[in-house]
Amino acid sequence: MPVVAPGNVAAIRIGAVEDRLVVRERGFALAPTAYVCASIDHRALDGMDAGALLTAMKKFLEED
């Protein structure tokens, strides 16, 4: 979990991209994946908005 530094309202951590086994069209395949984690000061940003940010990042990163 990333730590929000003083003076900031958010921290995002992205792990290394590695090939992992994923489910694809009724089967399994290796795909490049990475873990993304965010810590957000709830006084500055609502949890629902933070979730929307992570969802938008996921869609952007998954585009071909």
Side-chain angles (χ1 to χ4, degrees):
M1 183 69 62
V3 176
V4 179
N8 293 310
V9 296
I12 296 176
R13 179 183 171 273
I14 300 175
V17 176
E18 297 178 351
D19 285 333
R20 292 188 179 93
L21 197 59
V22 296
V23 177
R24 301 274 181 182
E25 298 178 19
R26 297 183 154 198
F28 298 100
L30 285 176
T33 60
Y35 293 105
V36 178
C37 183
S39 293
I40 298 175
D41 186 341
H42 67 89
R43 296 171 294 183
L45 190 62
D46 185 64
M48 189 168 136
D49 294 326
L53 171 68
L54 289 175
T55 300
M57 285 179 60
K58 179 181 182 283
K59 287 181 182 178
F60 175 79
L61 292 172
E62 289 181 341
E63 288 179 1
D64 287 333

